Amino acid sequence: MRSISGKIKSMNTTGLLFILPAVLIVILLLIYPIFSSIYFSFTSRHLVRATYSWVGLDNFIFVLTNPDFYVAFYNSIKWTVFSIAGQLLIGFAAALALNKIPRFSGFFRTMLIIPWTFPAIVIAFSWKWIFNDVYGFFPNLLTTLGITEQNINFFADSSFVFGSVVFINIWFGAPLFMVNILSALKTIPGDQYEAAVMDGATPWQSFWAITVRHIRSVIGLLLVLRTIWIFNNFDLLYLMTGGGPSDLTTTLPIFAFKAGWGLKQLGIASAITVILLLFLLSICLLYFRLLNKWEREDR
């Protein structure tokens, strides 16, 4: 018995040693930044000054009474909603089309997923080149075709900048929806469609009762992930516009960056990120309640 218990203890110790590096990485990269941000949000922490003091809720009051915060919050909502809607619609349509293609579907799937493989900096600078009003391909094409009288700077014109960045984000993120929805479509039994036809169901009824019902959990999880990623997105948007012009593309992450690294007010920047965290947690809770409801219905 002692030898057995000794072996069990040895196995437990070995297992703990194996997972210890992963635990340390999680603590360093996830837990510590979260709790440090929460702590600094209640202080006057400055990136230049070494000393700081406890200020309680002053940072939150300053942020929530700042009109620029609500501009950034509104931009974040628009940026997230329009981006996710476009990515879902285009990704869903592409997945349905690929699911019906009997030949060369692998080739088309590979071609369509290419945008997702590029890093943000490559995407940002490529589209800045394409949309440049001096040597960019697209503005010169529009002028050559007579659609516009002169070249448009899509990232500097207030009428086009927001639609341009949303379009690019849809182009970038739609392949993720496409691949995951296509995988879910492949799991739907074909005999269910045959039974629906025999029962007299229309194609639209089969689509809603069979297709959508089988893949809605996958779509729900994608919506959760993409909501978090897009709402928190900083690099792609900042590299393309820097939050301009006139703060038209300044979202909450960019607003926090400007407060923290521009004004050096780390305490205020931390308060912004805490508010952002609480908002995303509430949205995710709503998503998960909907997913749990779908799972109960499927049972």
Side-chain angles (χ1 to χ4, degrees), residues 24-299:
L24 291 175
I25 291 174
V26 170
I27 292 173
L28 291 174
L29 298 182
L30 181 63
I31 297 177
Y32 172 74
I34 290 175
F35 283 97
S36 64
S37 294
I38 294 173
Y39 171 73
F40 289 141
S41 67
F42 295 101
T43 68
S44 61
R45 187 76 166 87
H46 196 276
L47 284 178
V48 177
R49 295 192 299 268
T51 60
Y52 58 91
S53 59
W54 184 267
V55 296
L57 296 175
D58 288 355
N59 290 330
F60 292 94
I61 294 172
F62 174 82
V63 171
L64 294 175
T65 55
N66 188 346
D68 292 336
F69 168 79
Y70 294 98
V71 172
F73 184 77
Y74 177 63
N75 289 337
S76 294
I77 296 293
K78 288 196 303 178
W79 163 252
T80 304
V81 170
F82 285 114
S83 295
I84 288 180
Q87 291 178 9
L88 174 59
L89 290 175
I90 294 177
F92 199 174
L96 290 173
L98 288 174
N99 195 45
K100 295 295 184 179
I101 297 176
R103 299 177 62 186
F104 305 112
S105 61
F107 171 78
F108 291 118
R109 184 165 60 246
T110 303
M111 292 296 101
L112 291 172
I113 203 175
I114 285 177
W116 183 253
T117 63
F118 288 112
I121 190 169
V122 174
I123 294 172
F125 283 101
S126 296
W127 281 102
K128 287 183 75 172
W129 177 81
I130 294 172
F131 282 164
N132 188 276
D133 60 330
V134 177
Y135 50 79
F137 167 77
F138 192 62
N140 281 286
L141 177 64
L142 295 179
T143 305
T144 302
L145 295 176
I147 298 175
T148 58
E149 296 181 358
Q150 59 184 7
N151 290 359
I152 300 172
N153 190 337
F154 285 88
F155 288 142
D157 194 310
S158 59
S159 301
F160 295 98
V161 61
F162 192 82
S164 299
V165 295
V166 168
F167 166 78
I168 294 168
N169 198 30
I170 291 173
W171 170 85
F172 167 67
L176 178 67
F177 278 89
M178 179 197 71
V179 170
N180 286 275
I181 293 174
L182 180 60
S183 299
L185 290 173
K186 296 294 186 182
T187 64
I188 302 177
D191 56 359
Q192 293 191 8
Y193 291 105
E194 297 173 1
V197 171
M198 295 178 62
D199 290 339
T202 64
W204 185 252
Q205 290 173 332
S206 298
F207 173 76
W208 279 105
I210 300 174
T211 305
V212 175
R213 189 179 183 88
H214 273 82
I215 67 174
R216 61 184 181 178
S217 295
V218 174
I219 293 177
L221 290 174
L222 286 171
L223 290 176
V224 172
L225 294 174
R226 292 305 291 159
T227 298
I228 296 172
W229 290 343
I230 294 176
F231 206 91
N232 279 322
N233 182 267
F234 170 80
D235 51 359
L236 183 62
L237 199 55
Y238 187 79
L239 288 168
M240 289 190 294
T241 67
S246 302
D247 290 334
L248 289 174
T249 57
T250 296
T251 55
L252 282 181
I254 295 177
F255 184 62
F257 173 82
K258 290 180 177 180
W261 294 99
L263 301 177
K264 314 299 182 186
Q265 300 287 346
L266 185 60
I268 294 175
S270 298
I272 297 170
T273 58
V274 170
I275 295 172
L276 192 154
L277 173 64
L278 294 175
F279 176 76
L280 286 177
L281 284 175
S282 62
I283 294 297
C284 289
L285 287 175
L286 293 176
Y287 273 136
F288 285 127
R289 288 187 64 181
L290 181 61
L291 288 172
N292 290 333
K293 178 183 176 182
W294 288 344
E295 289 181 358
R296 288 195 299 269
E297 290 176 357
D298 291 339
R299 293 170 187 170

